[in-house]
Amino acid sequence: LHKVKKRRLSCPSCTYADKEILGVSEGEFKGLTTTISAWAMGNENFGIQCQVDSYDKILKCLDTVQRYGLCRHAATTVIDYAVHLFDEGIITKGDTDGLALRRDYETTCTLIEWMVSGRGIGSILGKGIQGVATAFGTEDREDYFATKSTAVTMDPRLMGFDTTVFEHIVNFKGYHFSVDTPPYDSEHLDKFRQALQRRGMSDEALSKIMDSPVGFNIGRLTRYSEDWKALSDSLGFCTQDPYRGF
């Protein structure tokens, strides 16, 4: 709060400021500022997946991918996967111009630059996780996780099976946006139904959605959740909690 955050930002047509201007207040990158939609997710991408070990370096990585126009999820996932294959001996120094792939700041920065410039193994990493798996023959391995040729960012075996995860698996584009499920409690179905009604779902739609031996039909609910998200995106409304039940 005191070292990173400078102030909040709203999207142009939204009154709920959930974007952030972040800054580095000390060290090598002192004075660096960047904007991001979610500081916590940036920490997940670079701090956890790539093991970048300090907030100022995480911000530097975030600023770099923002300026290059890279998706931080895609970039960090493909770097993490490449390091894993290096640890497994599938990717070798012969593939990396002698660079030992590690989860650290220096390797992460190097691989980002190589992806952008198309240098060495960067030309393969730049094709995404599917491109890496194809190049190194790992598509049939149990440690390759992808759907529709994109990295799996929400694994139902870890996170549970909600509409966002379901849409991630079945949508022909793969995972492109969050179509969240309202909080579900089998002992308070009235609150669940009320949350769905607030999103504009008719009684007829609700009867079909709730027609399930396990509480609700996730496929049917996802169809309406996608409509809700498409509507909010078209109108420029935020999908954060204050807006979900308006």
Side-chain angles (χ1 to χ4, degrees):
L1 176 63
H2 299 292
K3 288 186 176 181
V4 178
K5 186 168 291 186
K6 297 179 75 69
R7 66 186 179 92
R8 307 301 296 270
L9 283 174
S10 294
C11 294
S13 58
C14 180
T15 60
Y16 185 66
D18 67 336
K19 309 296 185 284
E20 297 165 313
I21 297 180
L22 306 175
V24 179
S25 59
E26 58 194 0
E28 178 183 357
F29 306 118
K30 183 177 180 179
L32 171 69
T33 61
T34 192
T35 55
I36 190 172
S37 59
W39 167 234
M41 294 177 71
N43 278 296
E44 290 174 7
N45 294 138
F46 288 104
I48 297 175
Q49 282 185 292
C50 296
Q51 294 292 293
V52 175
D53 60 0
S54 64
Y55 90 90
D56 56 328
K57 292 177 180 177
I58 290 173
L59 273 182
K60 178 62 176 177
C61 289
L62 286 169
D63 186 69
T64 299
V65 294
Q66 294 264 77
R67 292 179 185 277
Y68 282 141
L70 299 178
C71 169
R72 67 175 184 267
H73 300 294
T76 55
T77 299
V78 79
I79 290 171
D80 180 36
Y81 186 53
V83 174
H84 170 70
L85 294 184
F86 186 84
D87 291 341
E88 293 287 306
I90 295 171
I91 294 177
T92 68
K93 286 187 177 181
D95 302 309
T96 64
D97 296 335
L99 177 68
L101 301 190
R102 301 185 178 91
R103 292 179 183 85
D104 59 23
Y105 172 71
E106 289 75 17
T107 303
T108 299
C109 288
T110 297
L111 292 180
I112 289 172
E113 295 292 338
W114 285 9
M115 279 191 278
V116 172
S117 64
R119 173 184 169 183
I121 197 173
S123 63
I124 297 175
L125 303 188
K127 296 177 181 178
I129 194 166
Q130 175 70 54
V132 176
T134 300
F136 293 99
T138 59
E139 292 171 290
D140 295 328
R141 287 171 56 98
E142 291 185 353
D143 53 6
Y144 170 60
F145 304 111
T147 178
K148 309 299 188 295
S149 301
T150 62
V152 175
T153 55
M154 298 183 178
D155 191 327
R157 293 167 295 183
L158 300 176
M159 303 186 66
F161 202 52
D162 63 6
T163 49
T164 294
V165 173
F166 184 79
E167 191 262 356
H168 187 174
I169 295 170
V170 303
N171 190 291
F172 72 97
K173 289 184 176 181
Y175 176 67
H176 274 247
F177 50 65
S178 174
V179 288
D180 69 293
T181 306
Y184 176 80
D185 183 346
S186 59
E187 295 183 1
H188 298 89
L189 289 178
D190 56 329
K191 293 183 179 179
F192 183 69
R193 291 179 65 95
Q194 188 178 52
L196 298 183
Q197 286 174 325
R198 286 174 177 167
R199 299 187 187 194
M201 297 181 197
S202 66
D203 290 339
E204 181 182 2
L206 283 172
S207 66
K208 294 178 180 179
I209 291 168
M210 305 301 287
D211 181 16
S212 169
V214 293
F216 66 95
N217 185 304
I218 194 167
R220 290 172 178 165
L221 177 55
T222 299
R223 169 252 190 272
Y224 289 97
S225 295
E226 287 180 338
D227 283 355
W228 166 254
K229 185 62 168 59
L231 173 65
S232 61
D233 282 352
S234 298
L235 297 176
F237 290 155
C238 186
T239 55
Q240 297 284 14
D241 288 334
Y243 281 85
R244 285 176 180 155
F246 83 98

